[in-house]
Amino acid sequence: MANRTITLNDGTEMPVLGFGTCQFGGPETMIKPLQVAFESGYRHFDTAYTYKNEKVLGKAISGWIEKKLVERKDLFITTKLPMYGVHPERVEKFFNSSLDRLGLDYVDLYLIHFPVCGKYNEKEDTYLIENSVFLTEETNYIEVWKILEKMVDAGKIKNIGLSNFNISQITKILNEARIKPANLQIEVHPYLQNNELIEFCKENGISVVAYAPLASPELRTILKLTGLPFRNYPSVMGDDTIITLSKKYSKSPAQIILRFTIQRGLAAIPKSLNACHIKENIDIFDFQLDEDDMSLLASLDKGNEGRVCRVDFKGILEHPEYPFK
Ligand SMILES: NC(=O)c1ccc[n+]([C@@H]2O[C@H](COP(=O)([O-])OP(=O)(O)OC[C@H]3O[C@@H](n4cnc5c(N)ncnc54)[C@H](OP(=O)(O)O)[C@@H]3O)[C@@H](O)[C@H]2O)c1
């Protein structure tokens, strides 16, 4: 059976099913879904500086707390240092801004979003892009990590972790860290199972959160429209094996995929704007995939070919710390 929480390396309990909030329709599109998610039982919320919705999430949180629907200690809030903040001189500014937007005294988990340092477009508060090329700088994530450790000491962050880092990059952090990473957030779904990286994390006491656990069908559509690098993968939720298992267990394809993810010992943060989907995605604790079906699902892995969130934009792709080569 899968537990409802994963214990982090400092003893913190992180709910295995969290709510992803990366959206492309403006921050206000999250207001209603956040409320539905809260009422459906989600207590783990994943945001990031770059999602531009920390204020909306913060307002929702203060409303729940003011109405005494929940206590702060029972929520698990993750946010992330943007790529353009992965610089020793900019970490504090971005962290303080996230904390301020969320209206919180501390975050439960703070992640370095990506192991590349992007240049900051201060005027537009985003990436600095020139002629369709993302401008980058040399990355010193060890120095950045040391600053995050001090923020843990100051009580502003409960746990620190990484996102989109590979084994060699995590090893460099492990070799220098006073506080070991508590978590790695990476893309994981049946077409990209990331076994080696997950095994490495297990050996080093690092919990893993699966992002884009349904293989981000929306991102595929958006990339197609924008003309940004895109590969036309078949939909994971439409996979024949998953449809067959969906019928066998009388569960939706999304529920089969999410159950597979948590039975692997991972947390997952599916995102949805649809109330039925939001409820369905957390309703995965009343059934269990048997060993044969776990093996069947394991056989769907396509390795790096299955990756959807490649972040292979000009400038970032050529950076020496680009993690997915
Ligand atoms: N660290 C990182 O670099 C990183 C990168 C990407 C994502 N993330 C995090 O991971 C979260 C999830 O990733 P994601 O949003 O890219 O992808 P995802 O959760 O894999 O997929 C979201 C899409 O799936 C659809 N969906 C959700 N539940 C469904 C269901 N039960 N049945 C059918 N369709 C369903 C949603 O559409 P509807 O709205 O119609 O339900 C939405 O279009 C993000 O929101 C973000 O918090 C982190």
Side-chain angles (χ1 to χ4, degrees), residues 232-278:
N232 196 10
Y233 296 113
S235 135
V236 180
M237 281 187 275
D239 183 280
D240 286 345
T241 302
I242 288 167
I243 301 279
T244 305
L245 292 178
S246 157
K247 289 179 184 149
K248 174 175 168 182
Y249 288 90
S250 301
K251 293 286 171 184
S252 73
Q255 288 173 315
I256 298 292
I257 294 169
L258 294 170
R259 183 72 207 182
F260 173 57
T261 311
I262 66 166
Q263 277 187 222
R264 293 182 68 202
L266 316 177
I269 46 170
K271 186 217 73 180
S272 175
L273 301 179
N274 173 308
C276 294
H277 291 165
I278 294 170

Side-chain angles (χ1 to χ4, degrees), residues 22 46 163-164 185 212 214 216 269 271-273 277 280-281:
C22 179
D46 180 79
S163 181
N164 297 303
Q185 188 178 121
L214 303 172
S216 203
I269 46 170
K271 186 217 73 180
S272 175
L273 301 179
H277 291 165
E280 178 183 307
N281 292 346

